[in-house]
Structures are given as C-alpha cells and as structure tokens.
C-alpha cells in the first residue's frame, strides 16, 4: 500500500468517525436547544439550533409540574443497588465460567444467550405473579430484584471475558504459595479485574437508570415511580407533549449517566480493552 493510499484510507476513517459522532451528538444537542427555548420558539415553523431568547423557564416549570427530585432519587437507588448486587454476584460466577470448562460453564453460557433473547413482554406476566406472591409489587426492593436478574447475564458475559484476559500463571503462583481459591479470587484476580468490574457496573447502572417498562408495570403509587416513568407525565391525555418542560426534564435525566461515565472514563476504556484481549 502506497503512502498516498494509506493517507486516503486514514482520511476516510476519520470522516466516517466524524459522521458517526455527529449522528450520536445530534439528538443530545437538539434536546439541549429545545430545553432552553421559550414557548413561542417551540411552535415556530422554522426552528433554529440556537435559541434566540434562551430561558430557564422550562426547567422551573418541569420541577413545578412533576416530582423530579423524588423520582430521580428512586431511580438512583434502584440503579446503584442493582449494579452493585449484579457485580458482586457475577464476579465469582464469571470466574468459574472462565476457569473451569465443563457442563456448568456450558449451561451458564447457554443461559446467558437464551436470556438475552427473551423480550420484556414475554416475561412480564409470570414475573408480576411471582413478585405478587412475594409481596414485592409496588416496592423498590422488587424492582431492584428484577433489575439484578435482568442485568446479571450481561454482567456475567462481560466479566467472563475479563477473567480470561488475566494470566492464569498469576493464580498458579498464588496457589503454590498456599493461597486458597477464595483468597486467590479476592487478592489476586479481583484487583486485576477492577477496570472490567467498573465497566460492567457502569453498564448495569445505565441499563437500570434508563429502564421504563418494568418500572411502569411494577410501581403503582407516584411516590415509588422512577424518573423514566415520571417523564411520561409530560404527555397530555391526547398524546400532546409539553415539549419545553419535557426536554428540560429529559436533559436533566441524562446528566447522571454522562457525569458518571466522564468520571470513570479511563477505567471503562481500560476494562473494555482488557476484556477484548484474550491471552
């Protein structure tokens, strides 16, 4: 490949990457623009990117109309608990899957694949009946349990890849020194899995934070509802959206995920790279 051909290919890759970034950023930028537009600009036949007269009134109206802080607290509680519990359960299970090939590992892998193929609608009725029997309907505890079960296969699949990236020679050396299985997992493998654990927890958190269907069905009282469910209250009886407050509330709902990802960006990138490389 000539130098000119290589530069052309590199330029094409950068152009494709730029188009992809614009494609991803467009909805978010339009959301921010809509959140700061006054009502008269929202009804304009010729919308503009930058608000001509930006105003924070949509944010004040959103907080006045709906209990966003309470709903955000419910979502945060459910998402954090589900992410932590899923990671704690998935880490030793992923270790067994990655290090001990056999019927258990094969069955677990099959469970992961099959569970991801089930649509929400197919499981909601038996799930509702089970939670009703356990008296967990209309409770954050029941919702957290559902989120843990639903995110566990994906967390297990991700962490198994990270475990395979850890050289088994390190564990063998610790075993020679007299360390047991639990000590090896806690003192040797777990620290090396830290980037992968953080990445897995982040994806589990975002999944639970954005989840809508289970929260809509399982939570009945307004005091227990999560943020995605409360956002639907900005839609009128005839499906007409209160666009300004809805955009403001939706913008605020995206901030926790963005801030969390920005804070642990390096660990997430390292974890994804480690999980993709098999030694």
């Amino acid at each position: 490949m000539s130098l000119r051909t290589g530069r052309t290919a590199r330029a094409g890759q950068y152009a494709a990457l730029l188009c992809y970034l614009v494609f991803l950023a467009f909805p978010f930028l339009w959301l921010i623009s809509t959140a700061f537009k006054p009502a008269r600009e929202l009804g304009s036949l010729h919308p503009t990117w930058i608000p001509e007269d930006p105003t924070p009134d949509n944010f004040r109206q959103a907080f006045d109309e709906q209990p966003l802080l309470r709903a955000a607290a419910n979502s945060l509680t459910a998402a954090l608990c589900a992410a932590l519990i899923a990671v704690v359960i998935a880490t030793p299970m992923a270790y067994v899957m990655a290090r001990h090939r056999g019927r258990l590992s094969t069955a677990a892998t099959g469970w992961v694949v099959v569970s991801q193929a089930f649509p929400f609608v197919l499981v909601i009725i038996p799930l509702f009946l089970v939670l009703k029997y356990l008296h967990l309907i209309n409770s954050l505890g029941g919702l957290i349990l559902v989120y843990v079960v639903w995110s566990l296969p994906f967390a297990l699949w991700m962490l198994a890849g990270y475990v395979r990236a850890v050289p088994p020679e390190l564990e063998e050396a610790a075993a020679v020194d007299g360390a047991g299985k639990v000590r090896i997992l806690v003192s040797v493998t777990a620290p090396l899995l830290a980037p992968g654990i953080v990445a897995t927890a982040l994806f589990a958190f975002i999944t639970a934070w954005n989840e809508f269907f289970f929260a809509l069905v399982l939570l009945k009282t307004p005091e227990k509802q999560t943020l995605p469910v409360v956002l639907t209250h900005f839609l009128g009886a005839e499906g007409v959206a209160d666009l300004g407050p809805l955009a403001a509330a939706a913008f605020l709902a995206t901030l926790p995920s963005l801030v969390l990802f920005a804070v642990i960006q390096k660990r997430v990138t390292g974890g994804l790279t480690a999980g993709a490389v098999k030694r």
Side-chain angles (χ1 to χ4, degrees):
M1 181 182 293
S2 64
L3 181 60
R4 178 175 297 179
T5 304
R7 289 179 177 176
T8 303
R10 180 66 61 84
Q13 292 174 353
Y14 282 126
L17 179 60
L18 179 61
C19 293
Y20 183 64
L21 291 177
V22 171
F23 173 76
L24 292 179
F26 173 78
F28 184 67
L29 294 177
W30 191 263
L31 179 67
I32 297 176
S33 174
T34 304
F36 286 95
K37 285 182 178 180
R40 59 180 178 82
E41 290 189 42
L42 292 174
S44 175
L45 296 178
H46 304 284
T48 58
W49 270 97
I50 301 176
E52 298 176 359
D53 186 20
T55 175
D57 290 343
N58 290 325
F59 292 90
R60 287 196 292 265
Q61 185 177 349
F63 279 101
D64 291 339
E65 291 182 0
Q66 300 297 334
L68 296 180
L69 291 179
R70 184 178 62 200
N74 293 336
S75 291
L76 185 63
T77 301
L80 282 177
C81 292
L84 291 176
I85 296 174
V87 167
V88 169
I89 296 176
T91 301
M93 292 177 63
Y95 180 82
V96 173
M97 283 182 58
R99 289 290 189 256
H100 304 282
R101 299 298 179 89
R103 293 182 178 180
L104 178 62
S105 178
T106 303
T109 303
W111 170 63
V112 170
V113 174
V114 172
S115 64
Q116 298 303 302
F118 276 82
F120 287 178
V121 178
L122 187 63
V123 300
I124 190 60
I125 294 179
L127 181 63
F128 184 89
L129 295 177
V130 170
L131 292 178
K132 184 179 180 180
Y133 177 78
L134 297 175
H135 303 286
L136 292 176
I137 295 294
N138 194 35
S139 70
L140 286 180
L143 187 65
I144 291 171
L145 178 62
V146 172
Y147 287 166
V148 170
V149 174
W150 197 257
S151 61
L152 192 57
F154 183 73
L156 183 60
W157 176 73
M158 287 186 66
L159 285 173
Y162 300 136
V163 173
R164 295 188 185 101
V166 176
E169 292 79 9
L170 298 176
E171 299 173 359
E172 294 172 359
V176 171
D177 292 338
K181 291 291 186 180
V182 176
R183 180 66 181 274
I184 292 174
L185 178 61
V186 174
S187 301
V188 178
T189 309
L192 297 175
L193 289 177
I197 291 175
V198 172
T200 304
L202 176 61
F203 281 106
F205 174 86
I206 293 177
T207 300
W209 176 267
N210 294 328
E211 201 281 324
F212 168 76
F213 184 68
F214 287 138
L216 177 65
V217 175
L218 300 178
L219 301 177
K220 300 301 181 182
T221 59
E223 294 77 13
K224 302 292 183 62
Q225 290 178 339
T226 58
L227 194 55
V229 177
V230 171
L231 290 180
T232 62
H233 297 170
F234 290 101
L235 298 176
E238 297 180 355
V240 179
D242 197 356
L243 196 55
L246 174 60
F251 169 66
L252 294 176
T254 61
L255 289 182
S257 299
L258 294 177
V259 172
L260 183 62
F261 186 83
V263 170
I264 60 177
Q265 178 182 359
K266 292 184 179 180
R267 282 190 174 274
V268 171
T269 305
L272 292 176
T273 304
V277 178
K278 182 179 179 181
R279 294 183 175 88

